[in-house]
Amino acid sequence: KQEVTQIPAALSVPEGENLVLNCSFTDSAIYNLQWFRQDPGKGLTSLLLIQSSQREQTSGRLNASLDKSSGRSTLYIAASQPGDSATYLCAAPIPNDYKLSFGAGTTVTVRA
Amino acid sequence: ETGVTQSPTHLIKTRGQQVTLRCSSQSGHNTVSWYQQALGQGPQFIFQYYREEENGRGNFPPRFSGLQFPNYSSELNVNALELDDSALYLCASSYRTGGSFFRTQYFGPGTRLLVL
């Protein structure tokens, strides 16, 4: 059974600061690792998907790294903006288990 | 290309009632998964439907049931509602060709259920 943990649970930074969000998973035999954004009361928006064979993935100001051997992924958000305020979730599916196993998320507040 | 849609957006029910939530999958997708997200927690997998059959189920009681239709849309039914069923219910669609290859799931906006 895959267990996913996200630390910290909440983060507050001033605008312009870089954000570092952490995700840990117990079963390293993952298919991929996906980062999502969730605005309050809304659904999930996929941000980045890292295949198990990749070490990182980038999209604009977002960069996600993956270290399967240590069971960790990190999401970096450069030059944060108030619009980045949201909850960020990671999910790490494993073979023969079609569900996404989510962490509880990190709630980010970027202060103007 | 249309995204995943869910209805209704909000719902209020009383304990003991039954509820049906609906999900239309993204065009070209044949698999629908349902998740329950309680306040402050990550989504928890309820079950997945592939080719109109349940294919994987999380730790939810039998009063949570579902259907998938030939057009790949899906329903989630919950009987004998309990207060703890209050949550955001998310539907996600994806495309499978069979086997165990895992593809990206695309989420709908969710249905917010409140049980009083």
Side-chain angles (χ1 to χ4, degrees):
Chain A
K1 179 186 175 184
Q2 180 72 288
E3 302 282 350
V4 179
T5 305
Q6 291 188 248
I7 294 173
L11 193 56
S12 179
V13 299
E15 183 177 2
E17 203 166 285
N18 296 332
L19 288 163
V20 180
L21 309 180
N22 299 301
C23 171
S24 300
F25 46 92
T26 54
D27 190 333
S28 62
I30 58 173
Y31 267 127
N32 55 49
L33 190 133
Q34 201 164 0
W35 283 93
F36 293 88
R37 171 185 169 135
Q38 186 174 33
D39 292 298
K42 305 295 186 182
L44 306 181
T45 300
S46 179
L47 296 174
L48 290 169
L49 184 150
I50 313 173
Q51 298 293 351
S52 62
S53 58
Q54 296 178 307
R55 296 298 300 269
E56 65 177 325
Q57 190 70 252
T58 298
S59 176
R61 294 184 295 111
L62 276 59
N63 173 273
S65 66
L66 175 63
D67 184 346
K68 286 199 308 177
S69 62
S70 65
R72 293 180 183 179
S73 176
T74 303
L75 177 66
Y76 301 91
I77 303 177
S80 61
Q81 304 169 358
D84 295 328
S85 298
T87 296
Y88 293 82
L89 297 138
C90 67
I94 56 178
N96 301 318
D97 187 7
Y98 301 112
K99 68 176 183 288
L100 290 175
S101 300
F102 286 92
T106 295
T107 299
V108 171
T109 303
V110 180
R111 308 186 303 271
Chain B
E1 177 182 278
T2 56
V4 180
T5 60
Q6 292 185 243
S7 63
T9 55
H10 295 83
L11 204 51
I12 300 175
K13 292 287 188 178
T14 56
R15 197 169 47 182
Q17 285 189 310
Q18 178 266 342
V19 68
T20 297
L21 310 182
R22 295 177 175 83
C23 171
S24 291
S25 59
Q26 185 166 312
S27 177
H29 287 181
N30 58 8
T31 303
V32 173
S33 302
W34 286 93
Y35 294 82
Q36 180 196 67
Q37 186 178 24
L39 202 61
Q41 298 182 22
Q44 299 294 314
F45 177 74
I46 303 175
F47 42 56
Q48 181 181 92
Y49 277 85
Y50 171 58
R51 292 184 176 177
E52 302 178 52
E53 293 189 358
E54 187 179 293
N55 179 246
R57 187 179 183 94
N59 189 26
F60 282 82
R63 60 189 185 84
F64 285 78
S65 63
L67 284 173
Q68 186 180 33
F69 300 100
N71 67 354
Y72 304 120
S73 65
S74 177
E75 286 183 354
L76 164 64
N77 299 290
V78 187
N79 295 321
L81 284 167
E82 300 177 359
L83 298 180
D84 286 348
D85 295 333
S86 295
L88 180 67
Y89 288 84
L90 296 165
C91 159
S93 76
S94 58
Y95 178 73
R96 280 178 57 188
T97 58
S100 59
F101 183 71
F102 197 99
R103 292 178 182 264
T104 302
Q105 295 188 7
Y106 295 86
F107 284 80
T111 293
R112 173 72 65 184
L113 172 65
L114 177 61
V115 182
L116 301 175

